[in-house]
């Protein structure tokens, strides 16, 4: 199956700064890469995704980039706010529609 | 639209007891999934169902069984619970790639 590695495991940023989380995957057939945000005690919720035919996608303060050759993709959060504090998971598809998740990054935004 | 619902929210079991976690979705999705979430390990796929009447093993199926009762419902059964099955369990459903998660069941096995 797919192996997804995510770094860093924890990230502390000053409010207003940017946060970057990086993931690598192993299956060259993977074609869908979602990012989920999970607040404490809540369910994971999709915040942005990217497909393999696109190199970059942006939605307000968040953006995702994909490098298929290198098999890595990244989440960028600009102008971080306290409500961005959460655990973020990257994922990649394997065997068509199943997802393999990274271990998660705990982001803390300091006021 | 309730989305994906799960019952119960919390459960404490003794080693060797059995129980069934229930999941239902009202989005008419074909595919449904069961994950477990442990600290520092992300979400790991236990079982999935591509469509009504089909189920298949995921990454960590040992100690679990599933039933796709109909298109809406997908249950997860622990026949003889073990402390290693203490975890938070999430059900999810999808029609394409995007998966929608339920609120989770926090299970403790003593």
């Amino acid at each position: 199956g797919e192996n997804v590695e995510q770094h860093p495991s924890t990230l502390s940023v000053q409010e207003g700064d940017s946060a970057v989380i990086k993931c690598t995957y192993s299956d060259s057939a993977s074609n869908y890469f979602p990012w989920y945000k999970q607040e404490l005690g809540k369910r994971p919720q999709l915040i942005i995704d990217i497909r393999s035919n696109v190199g970059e996608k942006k939605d307000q303060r968040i953006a995702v980039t994909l490098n298929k050759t290198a098999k890595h993709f990244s989440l960028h959060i600009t102008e971080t706010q306290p409500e961005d504090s959460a655990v973020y998971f990257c994922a990649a598809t394997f065997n068509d529609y199943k997802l393999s998740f990274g271990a998660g990054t705990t982001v803390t935004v300091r006021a | 639209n309730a989305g994906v619902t799960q019952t119960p929210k919390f459960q404490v079991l003794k080693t060797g007891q059995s129980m069934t976690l229930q999941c239902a979705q009202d989005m008419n999705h074909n595919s449904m999934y069961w994950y477990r979430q442990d600290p520092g390990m992300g979400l790991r796929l236990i079982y999935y169902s591509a469509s009504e009447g089909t189920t298949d093993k995921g990454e960590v199926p040992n100690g679990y069984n599933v039933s796709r009762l109909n298109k809406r419902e997908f249950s997860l059964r622990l026949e003889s619970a073990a402390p290693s099955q203490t975890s938070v369990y999430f059900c999810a459903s999808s029609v394409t790639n995007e998966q929608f998660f339920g609120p989770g069941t926090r299970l403790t096995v003593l």
Side-chain angles (χ1 to χ4, degrees):
Chain A
E2 174 70 275
N3 182 40
V4 177
E5 295 192 359
Q6 182 172 348
H7 300 280
S9 57
T10 61
L11 181 59
S12 179
V13 297
Q14 190 70 36
E15 183 177 356
D17 287 350
S18 295
V20 180
I21 304 169
K22 299 183 179 181
C23 290
T24 60
Y25 61 99
S26 60
D27 187 349
S28 57
S30 294
N31 58 9
Y32 175 71
F33 308 90
W35 286 88
Y36 283 83
K37 176 183 180 182
Q38 186 179 29
E39 296 177 350
L40 191 62
K42 305 289 187 181
R43 73 190 78 188
Q45 294 200 300
L46 181 73
I47 55 171
I48 195 167
D49 56 14
I50 191 166
R51 297 188 183 275
S52 59
N53 57 349
V54 175
E56 183 174 357
K57 184 176 178 181
K58 190 173 181 180
D59 183 2
Q60 298 181 25
R61 295 186 298 107
I62 60 173
V64 58
T65 58
L66 171 64
N67 183 328
K68 282 218 74 180
T69 303
K71 294 184 193 168
H72 65 69
F73 56 113
S74 300
L75 178 72
H76 304 252
I77 307 173
T78 59
E79 300 172 20
T80 53
Q81 300 170 5
E83 54 264 36
D84 294 329
S85 294
V87 180
Y88 293 81
F89 293 97
C90 63
T93 46
F94 69 101
N95 292 352
D96 290 332
Y97 57 88
K98 295 184 288 294
L99 290 177
S100 184
F101 286 83
T105 297
T106 301
V107 174
T108 303
V109 180
R110 307 186 307 272
Chain B
N1 262 359
V4 181
T5 57
Q6 292 182 234
T7 56
K9 286 186 168 51
F10 303 93
Q11 184 71 49
V12 179
L13 293 178
K14 294 180 179 178
T15 297
Q17 288 185 316
S18 62
M19 80 159 295
T20 300
L21 281 65
Q22 307 286 353
C23 174
Q25 52 92 9
D26 61 1
M27 297 177 283
N28 202 35
H29 288 171
N30 288 324
S31 301
M32 297 186 74
Y33 314 81
W34 275 106
Y35 293 92
R36 60 177 289 171
Q37 184 175 33
D38 303 293
M41 300 188 74
L43 292 138
R44 293 183 292 168
L45 184 64
I46 305 171
Y47 269 94
Y48 63 95
S49 172
S51 61
E52 185 179 353
T54 69
T55 61
D56 211 340
K57 296 178 180 179
E59 181 185 354
V60 288
N62 290 347
Y64 306 96
N65 284 301
V66 291
S67 296
R68 184 73 183 265
L69 304 169
N70 47 55
K71 191 171 186 178
R72 289 187 64 248
E73 299 172 288
F74 188 38
S75 63
L76 178 72
R77 182 160 179 84
L78 286 71
E79 291 290 352
S80 179
S84 60
Q85 294 178 305
T86 293
S87 189
V88 180
Y89 291 85
F90 286 99
C91 175
S93 70
S94 70
V95 63
T96 55
N97 289 127
E98 181 179 352
Q99 293 189 16
F100 296 83
F101 285 83
T105 295
R106 185 172 295 274
L107 176 67
T108 301
V109 183
L110 302 175

